Amino acid sequence: MKIGLIVFMICASINAFCQNDDKKKHAIDVDAIRETQLTGDVGLRPTIMSAPASAQQVAQLLKKFPGKRYLTFPETRQNSIRLLDSLPKPWLSRTAAELSNFNGSAQPGEYYVFQIGVYAAAQQLDGLTVDIAPLSNAGKVGITDVTCFNTQGVDIAGKSYKKSLTVKSKNVLPLWFGIMVPENAAGLYKGLVHIKPHGLPATTVNINITVKGNKIENHGFNKDDKLSRLAWLNSKIALDNDVTQPYKQLGRKNDEISVLGRTIKLSAEGLPQDIQTYFDKNNQRLLPTSEPILANKMRFVVEQRGKQLQFSPAAISFTDDLPGATRWTTLLKSADVNIAVHGTAEFDGYLGYQLVVTPLKDIMVDDIRLEMPMSPQKSTYMMGLDKEGGFRPEKWNWKWDVLNKDQDEVWMGDVNGGLKIKFKGANYKRQLVNIYYSFGPLNEPESWGNGKKGGIDINTENKGAVLKAYSGSRLLRRGQTYHFNFDLLITPFKLINKSIQFGDRYYHTDIDTTKNFIKTASEHGANIINIHHKKDIYPFLDYPFMDENLPDLKAFIDSSHVHGLKSKVYYTTRELSVNAKEIWAMRSLNNEIIFPGPGINTRTLVNPKGVHPWLAANFKENFIPGWVATFTHGKYKGRQDLAVLTTPDSRMNNFYLEGLDWMCKNIAIDGIYMDDLALDRETMKRARKILDRERPGARIDMHTWNHYNEYGKFASSLNVYMDMLPYIDQLWIGEARNYDTPADYWLIEISGIPFGLTSQMLNKGGNVWRGMNYGITDRLGWFRSKTPEYLWLFWDEHNIEKKEMIGFWDKSNPVRSNNPEVEATIFKGRDEVLISVANYSDKDQKFQLNINWKALNLTPDEVTVEMPEITEFQEKKSIKWNDEIKADAAKGYIIVIKKKVVKVIPLDTNRHG
């Protein structure tokens, strides 16, 4: 949900059916949006293409072309076709020649775009195909790079595809075309476009492009009105197998695979037999010795009449795609069923499996299931399957319910080692997230779900945990295949970067005007500015590169660099502003980019009584209204920016990546801020590569709303986004988040530490005392936040970045509280130790510290102990290390233990006597 949400919301606490049997149920603050006032000026004026012809006028036009079942209307890019259910008035005067000829003018090197509208005059057009001949100049072929975006493209995996189209009767389909004009082109270029619906004659449109003038800069991508950026839809940028920072090349020796801090050994069946982690208990360094994550090998079981079928595995065949990945296949054979195993391992700790079950005859089975045994040490915590993050219960039973629950995955582990498993079928599609889930829910996997027969049981065995994902009884039919797919993520992904944890200090505000951003950030100790959308320099959601705001945005970023600050831009997927110049072309792509929905009948939390009048008048159908940003100050005061939802895993991802690359090269952004993103992990990986290559040291931070409520369908946010975490630098977790929760919830759902990241707090500034248990603060400038600058000053004064963080979760922590309601994390230096203590109770608590002085390399006699004054955090107090201390409800302290400085009096060699 948009982080600007807070400005438009009222707070309503509800009980969110927390099913944590092993801890107290707690209320979750869910922010309910009050009705948005849809009265603002969108700023998009009608064009000559907005006025519809009357039915009588259309009839008169058709009389001029008797017998034509459909008509074609070539059109320039300047007049984006907006009307889909009627003809625009300017077309009424078209002649037969104008219906079959397009004349345009382009510059050398330009990616030139134009349209052809197809009107179904008499019947629905099915199976419509488009063939484009190369353009020739004086009889010689000169331009071969031509495309119709509606019928051909490149998907997010880099694969080319073609498709045919349907045009409803009395409707218009805008066909959008792109031509890459060579830089040395000049003169008149001619080509042909053949448009043919199934069962009807083809129509040929002559294309005449005159190339003249100077070579255009960057193919026209620098000017939004040329619409050249439509070429970005088919981009393959960063589609390679390189490794991103901070990872290393994947290693493989026979059936053993190594990635950063983790190793995987495969069984003869091609499944993980052993997974080891080398991360220390606080994810701050890699150790020479490892700990097992699995208690035994993973098993895929087919059971018939109470007995497990026995399979003979073939030899595993590997294909190494180094440095980033390796892939393998094997075949498991039995008398009645074969199982093809396809596996992938990547450098970040991702394992992907496709298990294809093929019966050799009709066979009834009792169950097909996956068994995943976790070691006792690496099954302490759990998150997912209707269980909020925290301690794992003794047993857990879960059933598929995709209509009411955004749940298909679970993570189990400890801070320094764990596994997330996500279950997929051949019918998998990425769901819509947060309040929009119900418009695009998960598909129940036809394999694992088996018509509601399937489910997942997690039970304690030998002090560890065994996950059994079962599908239940079914008749396997010969000739059919059954896809039991799943993804594994081995956590943590990377070591915690302490320079990011303690050194990245954000100024992040919802104020419309940016005039004082740099001054405020500098004065209060921030070094990174996040430029949110709904700003005078960045007005429109997820479209930072509008011509009208780009000069101001670039000037701001340049100025921030002069002042020693970094500037990042809000840039995510999931929604797109209707102000984007390409929006009409994207709308023409048959729901490929704009997610289809109830249109004007849509009701959401943002729009409980209906959509904005502009959307009703212009989009009408097949859309879902997204965020509404209302400007209250600055150059856009009185305006509203509207957004519509985009389709996950579409070519919009390619467009997004090229936009990121363009911003790196042209306005020198220092990274991106992502908000409840809708990306797949491959696109996220590509985004990381672009930043690593173009802006080394650039940051990606991600915010997520708390999805664990009736609106988000009870999903744990970090489960939803975990496959993105390897490429993210920092989290911002807090919107609709209840911080009055136990320490195990904080550790798993908020801190980011079990995944090799750290987080920051949001809602009402979070809880600064509990936050210090994880080395996190809130952000400067956000609505109702505290001011973290005083903790930043304390961190700098005590060189916290150079100290070793040892968390309360680490049993070897030398400092322990004697009260289970009070937790202690230390930041250990050679001569100084900072102790963060936090009360997780809603009542005052007394506690004493038990200190292992030997482990600290100190003695009680050689140290001083104090609570220093920290503004907005604590008053200065003199204490003794073994005092009984009272911690107020939901608060805490930072205690400093410091080795005394021994003063050495120099010998005065000039004295005599």
Side-chain angles (χ1 to χ4, degrees):
M1 186 168 294
K2 291 288 151 291
I3 200 65
L5 179 71
I6 300 176
V7 178
F8 296 100
M9 56 175 68
I10 55 174
C11 185
S13 293
I14 66 169
N15 289 322
F17 305 108
C18 176
Q19 299 191 23
N20 297 6
D21 295 334
D22 57 331
K23 64 185 181 186
K24 295 186 296 181
K25 292 183 179 181
H26 54 272
I28 296 179
D29 289 336
V30 175
D31 296 314
I33 311 167
R34 69 171 180 256
E35 181 183 354
T36 304
Q37 299 301 313
L38 302 176
T39 57
D41 174 17
V42 179
L44 296 172
R45 301 291 173 253
T47 71
I48 62 171
M49 305 300 288
S50 302
S54 67
Q56 183 179 5
Q57 289 172 320
V58 173
Q60 289 295 322
L61 173 66
L62 295 179
K63 285 181 181 180
K64 295 164 57 177
F65 306 100
K68 293 285 287 185
R69 315 302 289 176
Y70 65 99
L71 300 178
T72 56
F73 295 88
E75 188 58 75
T76 65
R77 63 190 172 200
Q78 287 85 357
N79 297 323
S80 293
I81 299 171
R82 298 188 176 196
L83 300 173
L84 303 183
D85 56 359
S86 56
L87 296 180
K89 285 184 177 180
W91 287 357
L92 297 175
S93 60
R94 294 285 174 95
T95 65
E98 290 172 325
L99 296 183
S100 59
N101 287 275
F102 175 78
N103 300 300
S105 178
Q107 293 176 249
E110 180 177 356
Y111 193 85
Y112 183 77
V113 171
F114 67 96
Q115 315 165 81
I116 299 176
V118 179
Y119 178 63
Q123 66 189 68
Q124 176 168 299
L125 307 180
D126 295 313
L128 185 145
T129 59
V130 178
D131 291 321
I132 316 167
L135 278 68
S136 61
N137 176 252
K140 296 181 180 179
V141 174
I143 302 178
T144 58
D145 188 352
V146 293
T147 189
C148 174
F149 292 101
N150 304 73
T151 60
Q152 62 192 108
V154 176
D155 68 16
I156 59 174
K159 297 178 180 178
S160 298
Y161 66 89
K162 291 186 176 181
K163 61 182 180 180
S164 60
L165 307 171
T166 296
V167 190
K168 293 191 294 185
S169 179
K170 308 298 182 184
N171 274 32
V172 174
L173 173 62
L175 299 176
W176 282 84
F177 297 84
I179 300 173
M180 180 58 82
V181 179
E183 294 183 357
N184 61 352
L188 178 62
Y189 289 78
K190 295 183 177 183
L192 300 173
V193 171
H194 302 286
I195 298 170
K196 188 182 187 309
H198 178 71
L200 293 176
T203 294
T204 298
V205 178
N206 299 300
I207 308 300
N208 305 291
I209 307 294
T210 300
V211 181
K212 60 183 180 180
N214 297 323
K215 186 183 81 171
I216 196 170
E217 183 182 4
N218 197 19
H219 306 298
F221 299 154
N222 295 358
K223 293 294 182 181
D224 59 25
D225 60 351
K226 290 188 175 295
L227 302 185
S228 300
R229 294 170 183 164
L230 285 173
W232 294 355
L233 290 172
N234 294 329
S235 173
K236 295 182 181 180
I237 189 171
L239 263 175
D240 53 56
N241 217 24
D242 285 351
V243 174
T244 69
Q245 295 294 328
Y247 298 97
K248 64 176 186 177
Q249 175 173 315
L250 176 143
R252 184 183 70 83
K253 185 176 182 181
N254 298 323
D255 57 2
E256 294 188 14
I257 300 164
S258 62
V259 297
L260 178 67
R262 293 146 290 173
T263 58
I264 307 104
K265 182 175 176 59
L266 301 179
S267 67
E269 294 79 22
L271 298 175
Q273 173 177 304
D274 179 55
I275 301 177
Q276 298 281 332
T277 173
Y278 289 82
F279 287 84
D280 81 332
K281 298 293 185 181
N282 301 283
N283 297 335
Q284 298 204 354
R285 63 181 185 273
L286 298 178
L287 302 174
T289 58
S290 62
E291 296 178 347
I293 294 177
L294 291 177
N296 210 327
K297 70 177 183 178
M298 293 179 64
R299 301 177 66 243
F300 189 70
V301 175
V302 180
E303 192 171 275
Q304 182 187 41
R305 293 189 291 273
K307 294 184 179 179
Q308 297 180 11
L309 298 186
Q310 299 301 306
F311 292 91
S312 298
I316 299 176
S317 174
F318 285 93
T319 302
D320 291 330
D321 296 322
L322 301 177
T326 186
R327 310 179 200 285
W328 61 93
T329 61
T330 189
L331 184 64
L332 313 181
K333 294 183 178 181
S334 75
D336 299 327
V337 178
N338 285 346
I339 304 172
V341 178
H342 304 274
T344 300
E346 297 194 18
F347 63 85
D348 60 355
Y350 165 84
L351 298 177
Y353 276 97
Q354 298 84 44
L355 274 58
V356 184
V357 176
T358 304
L360 305 179
K361 63 181 181 180
D362 289 359
I363 176 176
M364 190 73 191
V365 297
D366 301 338
D367 191 20
I368 300 176
R369 66 178 179 269
L370 181 73
E371 298 179 355
M372 186 174 79
M374 302 283 290
S375 69
Q377 299 86 357
K378 299 298 175 280
S379 55
T380 305
Y381 303 100
M382 172 182 165
M383 176 172 60
L385 306 183
D386 232 18
K387 166 74 174 65
E388 289 187 280
F391 288 120
R392 175 182 61 83
E394 285 291 306
K395 63 179 181 178
W396 197 257
N397 308 112
W398 176 88
K399 299 283 287 185
W400 287 95
D401 182 12
V402 295
L403 292 181
N404 297 300
K405 302 290 178 68
D406 180 5
Q407 297 171 3
D408 62 351
E409 54 202 347
V410 63
W411 174 86
M412 285 193 293
D414 200 355
V415 171
N416 68 331
L419 289 175
K420 193 200 83 166
I421 184 166
K422 179 183 180 72
F423 297 91
K424 299 178 175 180
N427 62 339
Y428 175 77
K429 67 172 184 178
R430 193 171 308 281
Q431 73 276 34
L432 296 183
V433 293
N434 64 43
I435 66 171
Y436 305 107
Y437 176 83
S438 296
F439 295 103
L442 291 163
N443 283 333
E444 179 182 308
E446 78 294 335
S447 50
W448 299 105
N450 193 19
K452 299 293 187 294
K453 289 184 180 180
I456 297 173
D457 291 338
I458 298 174
N459 294 302
T460 301
E461 293 185 16
N462 299 320
K463 297 183 180 180
V466 176
L467 177 148
K468 293 183 179 180
Y470 60 89
S471 60
S473 62
R474 56 153 48 99
L475 175 64
L476 299 180
R477 294 194 177 274
R478 185 174 181 269
Q480 294 186 10
T481 55
Y482 303 83
H483 296 259
F484 289 82
N485 303 337
F486 63 93
D487 292 343
L488 287 172
L489 292 171
I490 309 170
T491 63
F493 301 110
K494 51 192 174 183
L495 294 170
I496 289 173
N497 186 323
K498 291 199 289 185
S499 66
I500 291 176
Q501 179 182 10
F502 297 114
D504 283 8
R505 298 166 185 188
Y506 280 93
Y507 178 67
H508 195 143
T509 180
D510 194 47
I511 299 171
D512 290 356
T513 55
T514 55
K515 179 180 179 181
N516 294 315
F517 279 19
I518 293 173
K519 180 176 182 289
T520 303
S522 298
E523 288 179 349
H524 294 272
N527 53 26
I528 302 176
I529 298 174
N530 269 356
I531 307 170
H532 209 274
H533 71 99
K534 198 178 83 74
K535 296 285 175 285
D536 53 1
I537 61 173
Y538 176 11
F540 306 126
L541 178 62
D542 289 329
Y543 203 88
F545 21 72
M546 192 76 78
D547 283 0
E548 69 178 91
N549 69 273
L550 259 174
D552 291 337
L553 179 58
K554 185 179 187 306
F556 180 93
I557 293 173
D558 290 346
S559 180
S560 72
H561 292 165
V562 169
H563 287 82
L565 306 176
K566 292 183 176 182
S567 284
K568 297 165 55 258
V569 295
Y570 184 113
Y571 194 54
T572 191
T573 58
R574 188 183 77 252
E575 299 174 61
L576 181 65
S577 170
V578 298
N579 284 278
K581 295 292 187 179
E582 297 83 6
I583 196 72
W584 303 106
M586 292 176 175
R587 179 168 167 259
S588 77
L589 299 181
N590 193 29
N591 304 325
E592 183 185 348
I593 304 296
I594 308 302
F595 191 89
I600 60 175
N601 296 317
T602 309
R603 300 294 183 269
T604 70
L605 285 175
V606 179
N607 307 111
K609 294 184 179 179
V611 305
H612 194 287
W614 188 94
L615 284 172
N618 288 275
F619 271 51
K620 298 181 181 178
E621 61 182 8
N622 287 329
F623 72 92
I624 297 173
W627 192 241
V628 180
T630 302
F631 293 88
T632 57
H633 298 84
K635 63 187 291 187
Y636 295 95
K637 182 178 180 180
R639 289 269 296 273
Q640 284 190 321
D641 179 36
L642 309 179
V644 290
L645 265 67
T646 55
T647 302
D649 295 351
S650 72
R651 282 188 289 171
M652 186 66 206
N653 291 10
N654 296 332
F655 188 96
Y656 172 88
L657 292 168
E658 282 287 355
L660 175 62
D661 185 69
W662 188 93
M663 288 190 291
C664 288
K665 292 174 177 174
N666 290 276
I667 58 174
I669 61 170
D670 298 300
I672 52 176
Y673 162 69
M674 308 189 79
D675 182 357
D676 268 340
L677 58 157
L679 293 180
D680 65 297
R681 67 179 298 275
E682 288 298 325
T683 303
M684 191 74 220
K685 187 198 309 178
R686 292 166 69 187
R688 183 78 259 177
K689 290 176 186 177
I690 290 168
L691 288 174
D692 287 351
R693 293 165 183 175
E694 299 298 333
R695 298 290 293 166
R699 304 284 198 249
I700 301 177
D701 66 310
M702 184 190 79
H703 161 73
T704 174
W705 177 64
N706 182 10
H707 296 204
Y708 202 88
N709 54 64
E710 61 181 302
Y711 308 111
K713 299 304 178 186
F714 303 98
S716 289
S717 301
L718 288 184
N719 262 350
V720 173
Y721 300 123
M722 196 176 295
D723 47 359
M724 315 297 164
L725 300 188
Y727 309 106
I728 290 170
D729 296 300
Q730 201 163 47
L731 300 166
W732 195 22
I733 295 179
E735 188 175 8
R737 187 73 56 171
N738 182 5
Y739 291 111
D740 293 326
T741 46
D744 58 320
Y745 176 91
W746 270 79
L747 180 62
I748 306 304
E749 290 260 8
I750 297 175
S751 78
I753 290 173
F755 313 108
L757 290 90
T758 55
S759 183
Q760 291 174 331
M761 302 174 292
L762 168 61
N763 189 27
K764 299 180 183 178
N767 183 305
V768 293
W769 302 277
R770 293 172 181 170
M772 266 303 299
N773 264 188
Y774 314 91
I776 64 179
T777 66
D778 60 337
R779 291 188 173 180
L780 179 70
W782 195 252
F783 183 62
R784 293 191 296 182
S785 284
K786 291 183 178 293
T787 305
E789 62 182 297
Y790 304 111
L791 270 178
W792 294 343
L793 290 170
F794 174 83
W795 287 356
D796 290 342
E797 181 183 350
H798 293 271
N799 295 308
I800 195 169
E801 183 180 323
K802 297 181 179 180
K803 290 179 165 58
E804 178 187 8
M805 184 175 73
I806 305 176
F808 64 82
W809 54 86
D810 183 350
K811 293 180 180 178
S812 67
N813 188 337
V815 180
R816 314 293 298 184
S817 161
N818 69 347
N819 184 335
E821 298 285 356
V822 178
E823 299 288 7
T825 289
I826 71 168
F827 302 87
K828 179 177 174 290
R830 187 179 67 177
D831 297 324
E832 182 182 68
V833 179
L834 313 179
I835 305 172
S836 163
V837 291
N839 179 2
Y840 287 84
S841 166
D842 59 359
K843 298 177 181 177
D844 295 351
Q845 298 287 333
K846 292 183 178 180
F847 69 95
Q848 284 182 296
L849 296 177
N850 296 319
I851 299 178
N852 182 340
W853 291 100
K854 183 177 180 181
L856 293 180
N857 294 316
L858 296 170
T859 64
D861 297 333
E862 64 177 346
V863 299
T864 60
V865 183
E866 70 167 350
M867 292 181 188
E869 179 181 1
I870 306 173
T871 304
E872 295 186 359
F873 190 94
Q874 68 187 23
E875 296 178 354
K876 183 175 182 178
K877 292 183 181 179
S878 296
I879 61 169
K880 296 179 180 178
W881 70 268
N882 55 358
D883 280 351
E884 183 177 67
I885 304 169
K886 187 191 81 168
D888 293 342
K891 292 188 177 182
Y893 303 102
I894 296 176
I895 298 170
V896 178
I897 295 180
K898 190 172 184 178
K899 193 171 184 179
K900 296 176 183 177
V901 177
V902 178
K903 293 184 179 181
V904 178
I905 301 175
L907 180 65
D908 187 348
T909 58
N910 292 323
R911 288 186 61 187
H912 298 278

